[in-house]
């Protein structure tokens, strides 16, 4: 159908895909650079001609901030630099971190580390809602004259040969049968001199660029964790600014991950559990790990007078420096989580996303001045990254996450050696295996998890949790989750892995129905919270996540 459709074309100078901190910081910084340049040219302080670029940010969520999910403890370094010459703006942090501690949990007990490990010390950092930060950044961009379009999901990277020339937006008004409805509107093509991807982890356009332009060649594969998070509200007096991190229960010593609890203003408690998406047991279930975590006496006591107000989940790119894709190609730059800018040891990425956005903006500005958007000019983005504190921060932890693929204690041992050798450790680079290849087959058919036994007060089943994600999708549209070979699911996967999609999806999207003698896969796509875990952990790699019709998905304004 797509080939015959006439599409509207919108021409811009710079297209930023994704309304998160990387893209919005890039758009804001670029607009400020252009403004400063134009003032200098018009006052005669600088030669050259004024620039009037059209800068457009597109976001798939129904509004900026709706799809922003993070812990979030923010290292202010990125925003301090972004706002260095803007005395009138300040990020809407919730509160400064006042105390932090790390605890090891057994099934019933907790042991506080006598000293908080340096990477998890958070004095000087702030607690924040990423949704609120994104909205504030979106407003700053608009005040600067940047065009910001929400409800615009990009589905396809547009290429002219090997040169990226923009992106195609999703069609709207396509029925579940794939045929146009009365309100059908073809998605427009945004044609841009420069496209900057900041789609978050496992982006759709990034995947296309990696495939078509070979951007992951000679790099390690990216590996991820799944963060599942809830926000609770209590009327009890609560000191904001407390940060707790936990290791141990409910995970064993083979898996990577841990819990977090942050207390914020207005009686809000953010509780989450992060588990590496490179586990062996196909029944591993991130949503369930969070429910078990809350039942631990260490957490339960904090939540006993509180009520659940929000739920969400997101994949976290943890592979680090060696797993970063090539960050530029002709007409293309890659920022934020899409570019792998995340420090898994510090559990932080927002400051790196902001800085990568700023460096992309400086490169885009250079390209606008030179009127050259080829990789000859855009390659300076990589040089800027290499010469910045991004490299300083990520290089010493380049083998950190890799070390934990052999288990917790081996990971601790390697981390110690890496600390003493500036990140080199015993082997550099330490090899890494894609997460789905780490999953092992079930020994016996029919092995399943015991029922969760959710009480609806402290613990919730997946469907009840999804209600708190406020997720919605137009029902009469094709599923945005494409299972490329459903026969694999109901036969081979059922026998070999027991259909792990039932467990790893934190939103109950995948259901295996038994129909007399056969099985059937049902996809409840409208539950999807856009975490991308299914694409990452499906053992046969037959699931493709595609952007649904504009505005579909969760609504996480307060997360
Ligand atoms: Fe996440 Fe996939 Fe489930 Fe959607 S369907 S919530 S992307 S695992």
């Amino acid at each position: 159908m797509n080939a015959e459709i006439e599409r509207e074309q919108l021409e811009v100078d710079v297209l930023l895909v994704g309304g998160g901190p990387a893209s919005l910081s890039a758009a804001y910084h670029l607009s400020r650079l252009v403004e400063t340049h134009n003032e200098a040219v018009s006052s005669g302080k600088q030669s050259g001609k004024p620039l009037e670029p059209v800068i457009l940010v597109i976001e798939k969520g129904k509004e900026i901030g709706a799809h922003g999910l993070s812990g979030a403890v923010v290292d202010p370094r990125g925003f301090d630099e972004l706002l260095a010459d803007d005395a009138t703006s300040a990020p809407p942090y919730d509160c400064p971190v006042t105390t932090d501690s790390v605890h090891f949990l057994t099934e019933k007990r907790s042991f506080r580390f006598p000293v908080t490990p340096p990477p998890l010390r958070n004095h000087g950092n702030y607690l924040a809602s990423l949704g609120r930060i994104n909205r504030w950044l979106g407003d700053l961009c608009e005040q600067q004259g940047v065009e910001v379009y929400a409800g615009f999901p990009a589905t396809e990277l547009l290429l002219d040969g090997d040169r990226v020339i923009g992106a195609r937006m999703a069609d709207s008004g396509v029925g579940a049968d794939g045929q146009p409805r009365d309100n059908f509107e073809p998605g427009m093509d945004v044609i841009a001199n420069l496209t900057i991807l900041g789609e978050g982890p496992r982006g759709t356009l990034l995947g296309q660029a990696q495939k078509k332009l070979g951007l992951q060649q000679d790099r390690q594969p990216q590996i991820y964790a799944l963060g599942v998070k809830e926000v609770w509200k209590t009327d009890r007096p609560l000191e904001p600014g407390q940060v707790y991190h936990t290791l141990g229960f409910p995970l064993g010593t083979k898996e990577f991950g841990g819990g977090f609890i942050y207390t914020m203003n207005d009686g809000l408690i953010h509780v989450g559990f992060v588990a590496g998406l490179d586990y062996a047991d196909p029944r591993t279930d991130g949503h369930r790990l969070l429910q078990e975590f809350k039942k631990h006496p260490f957490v339960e006591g904090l939540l006993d007078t509180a009520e659940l107000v929000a739920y969400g989940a997101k994949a976290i790119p943890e592979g680090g420096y060696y797993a970063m894709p090539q960050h530029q190609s002709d007409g293309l730059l890659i920022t934020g989580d899409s570019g792998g800018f995340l420090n898994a040891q510090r559990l932080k990425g927002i400051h790196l996303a902001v800085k990568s956005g700023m460096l992309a903006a400086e490169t885009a500005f250079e390209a606008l001045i030179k009127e050259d958007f080829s990789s000859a000019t855009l390659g300076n983005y990589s040089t800027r990254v290499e010469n910045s504190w991004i490299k300083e921060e990520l290089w010493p932890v380049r083998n950190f996450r890799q070390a934990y693929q052999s288990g917790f204690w081996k990971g601790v041992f390697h981390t110690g050696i890496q600390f003493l050798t500036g990140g080199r450790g015993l082997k550099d680079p330490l090899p890494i295996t894609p997460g789905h290849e780490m999953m092992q087959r079930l020994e016996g058919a029919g092995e399943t998890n015991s029922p969760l036994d959710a009480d609806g007060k402290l613990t919730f089943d997946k469907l009840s949790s999804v209600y708190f994600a406020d997720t919605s999708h137009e029902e009469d549209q094709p599923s945005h989750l494409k299972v490329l070979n459903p026969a694999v699911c109901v036969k081979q996967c059922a026998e070999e892995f027991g259909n792990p999609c039932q467990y790893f999806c934190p939103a109950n999207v995948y259901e295996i129905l038994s129909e007399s003698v056969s099985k059937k896969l049902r996809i409840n796509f409208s539950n999807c919270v856009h975490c991308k875990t299914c694409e990452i952990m499906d053992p046969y790699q037959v699931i493709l996540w595609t952007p649904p019709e504009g505005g579909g998905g969760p609504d996480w304004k307060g997360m």
Side-chain angles (χ1 to χ4, degrees), residues 188-216:
M188 68 177 166
D189 286 345
V190 181
I191 305 299
N193 288 323
L194 172 61
T195 302
I196 303 180
L197 299 184
E199 301 170 282
R202 194 83 178 197
T204 297
L205 301 199
L206 174 70
Q208 295 169 14
Q210 284 168 314
K211 219 176 199 170
K212 291 180 178 161
L213 304 173
L215 302 186
Q216 205 68 30

PDB file of all heavy atoms in Angstrom, residues 188-216:
ATOM      1  N   MET A 188       3.606  11.861   6.664  1.00  0.00           N
ATOM      2  CA  MET A 188       4.396  12.689   5.739  1.00  0.00           C
ATOM      3  C   MET A 188       5.873  12.292   5.768  1.00  0.00           C
ATOM      4  O   MET A 188       6.322  11.624   6.704  1.00  0.00           O
ATOM      5  CB  MET A 188       4.234  14.164   6.082  1.00  0.00           C
ATOM      6  CG  MET A 188       4.839  14.576   7.380  1.00  0.00           C
ATOM      7  SD  MET A 188       4.618  16.359   7.571  1.00  0.00           S
ATOM      8  CE  MET A 188       5.006  16.549   9.280  1.00  0.00           C
ATOM      9  N   ASP A 189       6.570  12.703   4.736  1.00  0.00           N
ATOM     10  CA  ASP A 189       8.023  12.537   4.694  1.00  0.00           C
ATOM     11  C   ASP A 189       8.659  13.843   5.140  1.00  0.00           C
ATOM     12  O   ASP A 189       8.385  14.902   4.554  1.00  0.00           O
ATOM     13  CB  ASP A 189       8.488  12.205   3.264  1.00  0.00           C
ATOM     14  CG  ASP A 189       8.151  10.768   2.872  1.00  0.00           C
ATOM     15  OD1 ASP A 189       7.835   9.962   3.772  1.00  0.00           O
ATOM     16  OD2 ASP A 189       8.190  10.465   1.665  1.00  0.00           O
ATOM     17  N   VAL A 190       9.464  13.778   6.168  1.00  0.00           N
ATOM     18  CA  VAL A 190      10.217  14.967   6.581  1.00  0.00           C
ATOM     19  C   VAL A 190      11.605  14.854   5.950  1.00  0.00           C
ATOM     20  O   VAL A 190      12.345  13.906   6.230  1.00  0.00           O
ATOM     21  CB  VAL A 190      10.327  15.061   8.120  1.00  0.00           C
ATOM     22  CG1 VAL A 190      11.100  16.322   8.504  1.00  0.00           C
ATOM     23  CG2 VAL A 190       8.950  15.075   8.768  1.00  0.00           C
ATOM     24  N   ILE A 191      11.894  15.767   5.057  1.00  0.00           N
ATOM     25  CA  ILE A 191      13.178  15.751   4.340  1.00  0.00           C
ATOM     26  C   ILE A 191      14.110  16.743   5.044  1.00  0.00           C
ATOM     27  O   ILE A 191      13.754  17.905   5.253  1.00  0.00           O
ATOM     28  CB  ILE A 191      12.989  16.172   2.854  1.00  0.00           C
ATOM     29  CG1 ILE A 191      11.918  15.269   2.182  1.00  0.00           C
ATOM     30  CG2 ILE A 191      14.316  16.119   2.105  1.00  0.00           C
ATOM     31  CD1 ILE A 191      12.246  13.803   2.136  1.00  0.00           C
ATOM     32  N   ALA A 192      15.270  16.248   5.429  1.00  0.00           N
ATOM     33  CA  ALA A 192      16.167  17.077   6.238  1.00  0.00           C
ATOM     34  C   ALA A 192      17.600  16.973   5.729  1.00  0.00           C
ATOM     35  O   ALA A 192      18.024  15.920   5.248  1.00  0.00           O
ATOM     36  CB  ALA A 192      16.114  16.613   7.695  1.00  0.00           C
ATOM     37  N   ASN A 193      18.334  18.073   5.859  1.00  0.00           N
ATOM     38  CA  ASN A 193      19.777  18.016   5.563  1.00  0.00           C
ATOM     39  C   ASN A 193      20.481  17.128   6.580  1.00  0.00           C
ATOM     40  O   ASN A 193      21.445  16.449   6.267  1.00  0.00           O
ATOM     41  CB  ASN A 193      20.384  19.419   5.612  1.00  0.00           C
ATOM     42  CG  ASN A 193      19.958  20.257   4.432  1.00  0.00           C
ATOM     43  OD1 ASN A 193      19.828  19.743   3.322  1.00  0.00           O
ATOM     44  ND2 ASN A 193      19.707  21.539   4.670  1.00  0.00           N
ATOM     45  N   LEU A 194      19.982  17.212   7.817  1.00  0.00           N
ATOM     46  CA  LEU A 194      20.603  16.441   8.895  1.00  0.00           C
ATOM     47  C   LEU A 194      19.512  15.829   9.755  1.00  0.00           C
ATOM     48  O   LEU A 194      18.585  16.529  10.175  1.00  0.00           O
ATOM     49  CB  LEU A 194      21.491  17.356   9.756  1.00  0.00           C
ATOM     50  CG  LEU A 194      22.055  16.744  11.036  1.00  0.00           C
ATOM     51  CD1 LEU A 194      22.944  15.546  10.729  1.00  0.00           C
ATOM     52  CD2 LEU A 194      22.857  17.796  11.811  1.00  0.00           C
ATOM     53  N   THR A 195      19.614  14.537  10.022  1.00  0.00           N
ATOM     54  CA  THR A 195      18.691  13.839  10.916  1.00  0.00           C
ATOM     55  C   THR A 195      19.478  13.422  12.153  1.00  0.00           C
ATOM     56  O   THR A 195      20.541  12.802  12.037  1.00  0.00           O
ATOM     57  CB  THR A 195      18.102  12.592  10.208  1.00  0.00           C
ATOM     58  OG1 THR A 195      17.442  13.022   9.006  1.00  0.00           O
ATOM     59  CG2 THR A 195      17.102  11.867  11.102  1.00  0.00           C
ATOM     60  N   ILE A 196      18.958  13.781  13.328  1.00  0.00           N
ATOM     61  CA  ILE A 196      19.627  13.415  14.581  1.00  0.00           C
ATOM     62  C   ILE A 196      18.703  12.465  15.336  1.00  0.00           C
ATOM     63  O   ILE A 196      17.570  12.815  15.670  1.00  0.00           O
ATOM     64  CB  ILE A 196      19.940  14.661  15.442  1.00  0.00           C
ATOM     65  CG1 ILE A 196      20.789  15.658  14.646  1.00  0.00           C
ATOM     66  CG2 ILE A 196      20.653  14.255  16.723  1.00  0.00           C
ATOM     67  CD1 ILE A 196      21.166  16.933  15.398  1.00  0.00           C
ATOM     68  N   LEU A 197      19.196  11.242  15.570  1.00  0.00           N
ATOM     69  CA  LEU A 197      18.367  10.248  16.252  1.00  0.00           C
ATOM     70  C   LEU A 197      18.593  10.322  17.761  1.00  0.00           C
ATOM     71  O   LEU A 197      19.717  10.256  18.237  1.00  0.00           O
ATOM     72  CB  LEU A 197      18.708   8.832  15.761  1.00  0.00           C
ATOM     73  CG  LEU A 197      18.495   8.548  14.274  1.00  0.00           C
ATOM     74  CD1 LEU A 197      18.794   7.076  13.980  1.00  0.00           C
ATOM     75  CD2 LEU A 197      17.076   8.894  13.843  1.00  0.00           C
ATOM     76  N   GLY A 198      17.479  10.427  18.481  1.00  0.00           N
ATOM     77  CA  GLY A 198      17.508  10.373  19.942  1.00  0.00           C
ATOM     78  C   GLY A 198      16.249   9.651  20.383  1.00  0.00           C
ATOM     79  O   GLY A 198      15.467  10.161  21.176  1.00  0.00           O
ATOM     80  N   GLU A 199      16.062   8.455  19.828  1.00  0.00           N
ATOM     81  CA  GLU A 199      14.798   7.722  20.018  1.00  0.00           C
ATOM     82  C   GLU A 199      14.750   6.983  21.338  1.00  0.00           C
ATOM     83  O   GLU A 199      13.762   6.310  21.613  1.00  0.00           O
ATOM     84  CB  GLU A 199      14.634   6.661  18.934  1.00  0.00           C
ATOM     85  CG  GLU A 199      14.620   7.152  17.522  1.00  0.00           C
ATOM     86  CD  GLU A 199      14.690   5.971  16.564  1.00  0.00           C
ATOM     87  OE1 GLU A 199      15.798   5.418  16.383  1.00  0.00           O
ATOM     88  OE2 GLU A 199      13.657   5.588  16.008  1.00  0.00           O
ATOM     89  N   GLY A 200      15.820   7.038  22.139  1.00  0.00           N
ATOM     90  CA  GLY A 200      15.852   6.186  23.326  1.00  0.00           C
ATOM     91  C   GLY A 200      16.450   4.843  22.968  1.00  0.00           C
ATOM     92  O   GLY A 200      17.015   4.664  21.880  1.00  0.00           O
ATOM     93  N   PRO A 201      16.352   3.860  23.880  1.00  0.00           N
ATOM     94  CA  PRO A 201      16.996   2.572  23.618  1.00  0.00           C
ATOM     95  C   PRO A 201      16.304   1.805  22.498  1.00  0.00           C
ATOM     96  O   PRO A 201      15.089   1.880  22.351  1.00  0.00           O
ATOM     97  CB  PRO A 201      16.839   1.831  24.953  1.00  0.00           C
ATOM     98  CG  PRO A 201      15.682   2.486  25.628  1.00  0.00           C
ATOM     99  CD  PRO A 201      15.653   3.908  25.161  1.00  0.00           C
ATOM    100  N   ARG A 202      17.104   1.076  21.709  1.00  0.00           N
ATOM    101  CA  ARG A 202      16.585   0.180  20.674  1.00  0.00           C
ATOM    102  C   ARG A 202      15.609   0.895  19.721  1.00  0.00           C
ATOM    103  O   ARG A 202      14.502   0.441  19.458  1.00  0.00           O
ATOM    104  CB  ARG A 202      15.875  -1.001  21.359  1.00  0.00           C
ATOM    105  CG  ARG A 202      15.560  -2.177  20.486  1.00  0.00           C
ATOM    106  CD  ARG A 202      16.722  -3.104  20.318  1.00  0.00           C
ATOM    107  NE  ARG A 202      16.364  -4.245  19.505  1.00  0.00           N
ATOM    108  CZ  ARG A 202      17.064  -5.373  19.454  1.00  0.00           C
ATOM    109  NH1 ARG A 202      18.149  -5.506  20.174  1.00  0.00           N
ATOM    110  NH2 ARG A 202      16.698  -6.350  18.677  1.00  0.00           N
ATOM    111  N   GLY A 203      16.046   2.041  19.232  1.00  0.00           N
ATOM    112  CA  GLY A 203      15.179   2.838  18.364  1.00  0.00           C
ATOM    113  C   GLY A 203      14.907   2.143  17.039  1.00  0.00           C
ATOM    114  O   GLY A 203      15.748   1.408  16.521  1.00  0.00           O
ATOM    115  N   THR A 204      13.738   2.424  16.490  1.00  0.00           N
ATOM    116  CA  THR A 204      13.342   1.825  15.211  1.00  0.00           C
ATOM    117  C   THR A 204      14.239   2.316  14.072  1.00  0.00           C
ATOM    118  O   THR A 204      14.733   1.523  13.264  1.00  0.00           O
ATOM    119  CB  THR A 204      11.874   2.177  14.916  1.00  0.00           C
ATOM    120  OG1 THR A 204      11.079   1.592  15.941  1.00  0.00           O
ATOM    121  CG2 THR A 204      11.413   1.678  13.566  1.00  0.00           C
ATOM    122  N   LEU A 205      14.447   3.628  13.994  1.00  0.00           N
ATOM    123  CA  LEU A 205      15.275   4.155  12.905  1.00  0.00           C
ATOM    124  C   LEU A 205      16.743   3.796  13.125  1.00  0.00           C
ATOM    125  O   LEU A 205      17.482   3.561  12.165  1.00  0.00           O
ATOM    126  CB  LEU A 205      15.124   5.677  12.786  1.00  0.00           C
ATOM    127  CG  LEU A 205      13.722   6.230  12.529  1.00  0.00           C
ATOM    128  CD1 LEU A 205      13.804   7.642  11.992  1.00  0.00           C
ATOM    129  CD2 LEU A 205      12.887   5.372  11.593  1.00  0.00           C
ATOM    130  N   LEU A 206      17.144   3.738  14.391  1.00  0.00           N
ATOM    131  CA  LEU A 206      18.518   3.331  14.673  1.00  0.00           C
ATOM    132  C   LEU A 206      18.752   1.915  14.144  1.00  0.00           C
ATOM    133  O   LEU A 206      19.775   1.632  13.512  1.00  0.00           O
ATOM    134  CB  LEU A 206      18.805   3.373  16.175  1.00  0.00           C
ATOM    135  CG  LEU A 206      20.185   2.813  16.538  1.00  0.00           C
ATOM    136  CD1 LEU A 206      21.288   3.750  16.069  1.00  0.00           C
ATOM    137  CD2 LEU A 206      20.321   2.544  18.029  1.00  0.00           C
ATOM    138  N   GLY A 207      17.778   1.013  14.386  1.00  0.00           N
ATOM    139  CA  GLY A 207      17.905  -0.365  13.912  1.00  0.00           C
ATOM    140  C   GLY A 207      18.074  -0.405  12.398  1.00  0.00           C
ATOM    141  O   GLY A 207      18.900  -1.157  11.865  1.00  0.00           O
ATOM    142  N   GLN A 208      17.301   0.451  11.690  1.00  0.00           N
ATOM    143  CA  GLN A 208      17.412   0.489  10.228  1.00  0.00           C
ATOM    144  C   GLN A 208      18.784   1.019   9.811  1.00  0.00           C
ATOM    145  O   GLN A 208      19.412   0.515   8.879  1.00  0.00           O
ATOM    146  CB  GLN A 208      16.293   1.353   9.646  1.00  0.00           C
ATOM    147  CG  GLN A 208      14.908   0.749   9.884  1.00  0.00           C
ATOM    148  CD  GLN A 208      13.774   1.721   9.558  1.00  0.00           C
ATOM    149  OE1 GLN A 208      13.974   2.745   8.925  1.00  0.00           O
ATOM    150  NE2 GLN A 208      12.573   1.393  10.005  1.00  0.00           N
ATOM    151  N   ALA A 209      19.252   2.052  10.531  1.00  0.00           N
ATOM    152  CA  ALA A 209      20.559   2.636  10.185  1.00  0.00           C
ATOM    153  C   ALA A 209      21.673   1.628  10.453  1.00  0.00           C
ATOM    154  O   ALA A 209      22.625   1.514   9.669  1.00  0.00           O
ATOM    155  CB  ALA A 209      20.787   3.908  11.003  1.00  0.00           C
ATOM    156  N   GLN A 210      21.541   0.886  11.552  1.00  0.00           N
ATOM    157  CA  GLN A 210      22.582  -0.111  11.863  1.00  0.00           C
ATOM    158  C   GLN A 210      22.654  -1.153  10.753  1.00  0.00           C
ATOM    159  O   GLN A 210      23.731  -1.575  10.334  1.00  0.00           O
ATOM    160  CB  GLN A 210      22.290  -0.775  13.206  1.00  0.00           C
ATOM    161  CG  GLN A 210      22.639   0.119  14.390  1.00  0.00           C
ATOM    162  CD  GLN A 210      22.094  -0.405  15.694  1.00  0.00           C
ATOM    163  OE1 GLN A 210      20.937  -0.809  15.774  1.00  0.00           O
ATOM    164  NE2 GLN A 210      22.906  -0.406  16.727  1.00  0.00           N
ATOM    165  N   LYS A 211      21.469  -1.562  10.305  1.00  0.00           N
ATOM    166  CA  LYS A 211      21.407  -2.612   9.285  1.00  0.00           C
ATOM    167  C   LYS A 211      21.905  -2.104   7.928  1.00  0.00           C
ATOM    168  O   LYS A 211      22.746  -2.719   7.284  1.00  0.00           O
ATOM    169  CB  LYS A 211      19.945  -3.050   9.143  1.00  0.00           C
ATOM    170  CG  LYS A 211      19.759  -4.522   8.960  1.00  0.00           C
ATOM    171  CD  LYS A 211      18.294  -4.805   8.929  1.00  0.00           C
ATOM    172  CE  LYS A 211      18.024  -6.249   9.198  1.00  0.00           C
ATOM    173  NZ  LYS A 211      16.599  -6.466   9.387  1.00  0.00           N
ATOM    174  N   LYS A 212      21.365  -0.952   7.510  1.00  0.00           N
ATOM    175  CA  LYS A 212      21.653  -0.492   6.149  1.00  0.00           C
ATOM    176  C   LYS A 212      23.017   0.181   6.033  1.00  0.00           C
ATOM    177  O   LYS A 212      23.625   0.162   4.967  1.00  0.00           O
ATOM    178  CB  LYS A 212      20.563   0.491   5.693  1.00  0.00           C
ATOM    179  CG  LYS A 212      19.233  -0.219   5.493  1.00  0.00           C
ATOM    180  CD  LYS A 212      18.153   0.729   5.052  1.00  0.00           C
ATOM    181  CE  LYS A 212      16.853  -0.021   4.825  1.00  0.00           C
ATOM    182  NZ  LYS A 212      15.679   0.815   4.819  1.00  0.00           N
ATOM    183  N   LEU A 213      23.468   0.806   7.108  1.00  0.00           N
ATOM    184  CA  LEU A 213      24.717   1.568   7.015  1.00  0.00           C
ATOM    185  C   LEU A 213      25.856   0.914   7.794  1.00  0.00           C
ATOM    186  O   LEU A 213      26.948   1.463   7.878  1.00  0.00           O
ATOM    187  CB  LEU A 213      24.492   3.003   7.531  1.00  0.00           C
ATOM    188  CG  LEU A 213      23.352   3.778   6.828  1.00  0.00           C
ATOM    189  CD1 LEU A 213      23.097   5.101   7.513  1.00  0.00           C
ATOM    190  CD2 LEU A 213      23.705   4.009   5.349  1.00  0.00           C
ATOM    191  N   GLY A 214      25.566  -0.246   8.388  1.00  0.00           N
ATOM    192  CA  GLY A 214      26.615  -0.994   9.083  1.00  0.00           C
ATOM    193  C   GLY A 214      27.182  -0.273  10.297  1.00  0.00           C
ATOM    194  O   GLY A 214      28.377  -0.376  10.589  1.00  0.00           O
ATOM    195  N   LEU A 215      26.329   0.449  11.026  1.00  0.00           N
ATOM    196  CA  LEU A 215      26.844   1.277  12.121  1.00  0.00           C
ATOM    197  C   LEU A 215      27.313   0.481  13.339  1.00  0.00           C
ATOM    198  O   LEU A 215      27.948   1.020  14.226  1.00  0.00           O
ATOM    199  CB  LEU A 215      25.770   2.287  12.572  1.00  0.00           C
ATOM    200  CG  LEU A 215      25.249   3.250  11.504  1.00  0.00           C
ATOM    201  CD1 LEU A 215      24.317   4.283  12.126  1.00  0.00           C
ATOM    202  CD2 LEU A 215      26.388   3.957  10.789  1.00  0.00           C
ATOM    203  N   GLN A 216      26.951  -0.815  13.411  1.00  0.00           N
ATOM    204  CA  GLN A 216      27.390  -1.606  14.570  1.00  0.00           C
ATOM    205  C   GLN A 216      28.580  -2.497  14.221  1.00  0.00           C
ATOM    206  O   GLN A 216      29.054  -3.247  15.065  1.00  0.00           O
ATOM    207  CB  GLN A 216      26.200  -2.442  15.098  1.00  0.00           C
ATOM    208  CG  GLN A 216      26.265  -2.837  16.574  1.00  0.00           C
ATOM    209  CD  GLN A 216      26.125  -1.662  17.540  1.00  0.00           C
ATOM    210  OE1 GLN A 216      25.470  -0.689  17.216  1.00  0.00           O
ATOM    211  NE2 GLN A 216      26.753  -1.758  18.710  1.00  0.00           N
TER     212      GLN A 216
END
